[in-house]
Amino acid sequence: MSVSPSPAQDSLFSRRFLSVTLGACALVFLGAFESMAVTTIMPVISADLNGQSLYALAFAGPLATGVIGMVTAGNWADRSGPTRPLLAAVTVFTIGLIASGLATAMFPFLLGRLAQGMGGGAITVALYVMVARALPPRLHPPMFACFSAAWVLPSLVGPVIAGFIADTWSWHWVFLGVVVLVVFAMALVTPTLRRLSTTEHTRLGADGSVPERAAWDIPRILWATLAAVSVLTLSLAGEQGTGGLIIAVIALVIGLIAVRPLLPAGVLGLRRGLPGVIRMRAVVAATFFGAEIYVPYLLIEHYDFSPTAAGFALTGGAVSWAVGSALQGRLGDRLPNAVIARSAPIIAFISIAALFVVALLHLSPWLALGAWTLAGLGVGMLYPRLGVLTLAHSTPTNQGFNSAALTIADSFGSAISLAIAGTLFTSMLIGGVGPFLLVFAFTAVLALAALAISSRMLGGLPARAETAHTEPITVAAADPHTGPITLISAEEVAVHTGTITIVAPTHPDETPAETRDQGTPDA
């Protein structure tokens, strides 16, 4: 006679949680796939829609609107739970897919991309809240591991699959085909969302009282919106001729002012410690992603690569990113923060300089493939360590804000870089390799800037009384753009902080979750 498993025996793939596990991971997978796919096939799309001058806006725009989605979804989920934000986010994302897939001109395509960015940013936040409230705390680490796999797989196969679809049928199906999969994924999580929706209004606080409903943070949403609009304006400045430079400068200043309330004080200056960590994330993201979108473009435009073949360049970068993440995790403190902080910009500079030389001298395209594979290694080593340092500088009262700031800095830094690179590219769009040389020179300068500020992210950590060896758990540091979610053990976090506190909501089938203290709190 079989015995039904008790709640303590349930896993992510047990009958109780299988549907929500598959649906949530599918949504993460599809968001990651779309990001990698567009990078691969965008040269074909821009040529088909005669939109070469708006090439960079197809990437900068979604990153900018994604910040609006993240901020709004987070605030909305705090008010009423994840159900409504997730439904709205998936709806907006799907509308964007349909609009881009059916587009026969560049501007309708771009409007679809903006909707995809806003919906995708909101989906990420809403899914994390859903996991926190729908799954028992002991299943959170394996769920984040599944999310990691859902990011890694598209990074490895997404570019090639997208290129194959574009070569065999049409680039339109890269968007329209995903719509069906999004609907299916949403159907899998709908039962869980319904249960959360019916129980949200009865959710009690730790003392048994009904928690006060969070207020709408309208100023924060408006600042995020203004930052996004400034990026869009900056991207379009290249179309305005001589006056475009003035417009671009004004838009850049407004964008920096608007993003300031979303980040810790001192990020836009030269303050050390946490501001230096957040600043480093923004500049490195600007360097890497500002150059990445032009790698397949160069291969397709000047080496007659098919989209499928060009996608291998992105796959190489994704593989080396994963290798770099694993390497720094395995070596731990044997690979000091100072070494990683300086190595990543140096590797990025060497890689981008190699791309510049390849384009200038029309060298073998395989050198370009090798250069970009090398670039992923350095960034893969740095990103997880930035997540660790952010937690090290945080307390339980500001962990959420600081973690969000790291993601916002990544998206905004990339968006600004892409907008400027797009303006430079458009200004030289007269044929030949001139536009590519200008973009690679710009991102190489960003790599040197990252090297110059690398020392500002070091030091300033709180004093630590002691570190206790405890049971390892797992937290996730996500790169929302194209990179995989890197899993960091709490034991590694404890090396820098001496403490990590996890407060999880009570699951209906479990006793109230307790705070797990990893070592002695910071002094």
Side-chain angles (χ1 to χ4, degrees):
M1 181 178 62
S2 62
V3 179
S4 298
S6 66
Q9 294 174 309
D10 279 334
S11 69
L12 289 178
F13 299 100
S14 64
R15 182 178 299 179
R16 296 177 65 228
F17 300 122
L18 179 61
S19 178
V20 67
T21 297
L22 295 178
C25 290
L27 288 174
V28 173
F29 173 89
L30 294 173
F33 173 82
E34 204 61 31
S35 177
M36 297 300 295
V38 173
T39 305
T40 304
I41 64 174
M42 194 59 212
V44 176
I45 297 173
S46 63
D48 188 31
L49 301 181
N50 194 27
Q52 289 90 339
S53 62
L54 298 173
Y55 180 84
L57 182 57
F59 300 94
L63 287 174
T65 57
V67 174
I68 303 176
M70 287 181 235
V71 173
T72 303
N75 194 184
W76 196 354
D78 285 341
R79 282 180 53 81
S80 59
T83 301
R84 293 178 181 177
L86 185 57
L87 289 173
V90 171
T91 300
V92 172
F93 184 69
T94 303
I95 291 173
L97 289 172
I98 295 173
S100 294
L102 296 178
T104 56
M106 195 63 177
F107 273 104
F109 173 82
L110 290 175
L111 290 177
R113 288 290 293 151
L114 297 181
Q116 291 170 48
M118 183 177 293
I123 286 173
T124 301
V125 174
L127 281 179
Y128 272 67
V129 177
M130 185 190 73
V131 167
R133 298 188 180 182
L135 299 180
R138 59 188 168 74
L139 293 184
H140 293 174
M143 176 58 88
F144 286 131
C146 289
F147 282 177
S148 177
W151 268 106
V152 171
L153 187 58
S155 299
L156 300 177
V157 303
V160 177
I161 292 176
F164 175 79
I165 293 174
D167 287 337
T168 306
W169 294 290
S170 168
W171 61 263
H172 296 274
W173 287 108
V174 175
F175 299 93
L176 298 177
V178 172
V179 171
V180 178
L181 300 177
V182 169
V183 172
F184 176 72
M186 199 61 197
L188 290 174
V189 302
T190 296
T192 298
L193 292 177
R194 286 176 178 170
R195 178 176 61 80
L196 290 176
S197 182
T198 57
T199 60
E200 187 64 33
H201 68 282
T202 62
R203 186 167 60 92
L204 301 179
D207 59 355
S209 62
V210 178
E212 183 179 352
R213 195 179 192 187
W216 280 111
D217 193 347
I218 300 299
R220 186 172 171 83
I221 295 174
L222 291 178
W223 283 121
T225 303
L226 181 59
V229 171
S230 70
V231 170
L232 299 179
T233 303
L234 177 58
S235 297
L236 292 170
E239 294 284 294
Q240 307 304 316
T242 305
L245 179 60
I246 298 176
I247 296 174
V249 172
I250 294 174
L252 178 59
V253 172
I254 293 176
L256 294 176
I257 293 174
V259 80
R260 169 60 190 84
L262 308 179
L263 304 174
V267 172
L268 300 183
L270 291 176
R271 189 176 301 179
R272 290 181 177 271
L274 177 64
V277 173
I278 304 293
R279 185 189 313 119
M280 187 69 171
R281 175 70 169 255
V283 178
V284 170
T287 302
F288 186 84
F289 297 106
E292 182 185 52
I293 69 170
Y294 291 97
V295 175
Y297 199 169
L298 174 68
L299 295 174
I300 292 173
E301 188 75 12
H302 291 284
Y303 291 94
D304 295 325
F305 272 45
S306 67
T308 304
F312 280 109
L314 302 183
T315 299
V319 170
S320 64
W321 183 309
V323 171
S325 297
L327 180 64
Q328 72 83 34
R330 180 174 294 275
L331 293 178
D333 274 2
R334 287 175 291 173
L335 198 61
N337 293 328
V339 173
I340 295 180
R342 295 181 177 91
S343 297
I346 291 174
I347 292 173
F349 176 79
I350 293 173
S351 301
I352 296 173
L355 291 173
F356 182 93
V357 173
V358 168
L360 177 64
L361 302 179
H362 201 73
L363 301 178
S364 169
W366 299 108
L367 294 176
L369 290 168
W372 198 246
T373 298
L374 177 65
L377 178 67
V379 182
M381 292 170 61
L382 178 67
Y383 261 49
R385 194 60 62 92
L386 292 177
V388 170
L389 289 173
T390 298
L391 292 178
H393 285 286
S394 303
T395 67
T397 60
N398 62 12
Q399 287 169 345
F401 177 83
N402 291 343
S403 298
L406 192 68
T407 301
I408 290 171
D410 183 291
S411 295
F412 188 76
S414 300
I416 288 291
S417 172
L418 290 167
I420 295 175
T423 300
L424 295 173
F425 191 87
T426 301
S427 68
M428 291 286 291
L429 200 57
I430 54 177
V433 297
F436 295 98
L437 295 178
L438 203 56
V439 167
F440 292 143
F442 166 66
T443 50
V445 170
L446 287 180
L448 293 178
L451 179 61
I453 65 171
S454 61
S455 62
R456 310 300 296 182
M457 62 172 272
L458 304 174
L461 285 174
R464 186 189 69 217
E466 63 176 321
T467 300
H469 179 78
T470 55
E471 174 192 0
I473 55 177
T474 305
V475 294
D479 169 22
H481 283 317
T482 58
I485 295 176
T486 303
L487 296 180
I488 308 167
S489 69
E491 193 172 18
E492 181 180 356
V493 177
V495 168
H496 302 281
T497 64
T499 180
I500 176 169
T501 303
I502 296 179
V503 180
T506 302
H507 190 268
D509 297 326
E510 296 196 341
T511 56
E514 298 180 354
T515 300
R516 297 176 59 187
D517 185 18
Q518 304 288 329
T520 305
D522 297 336

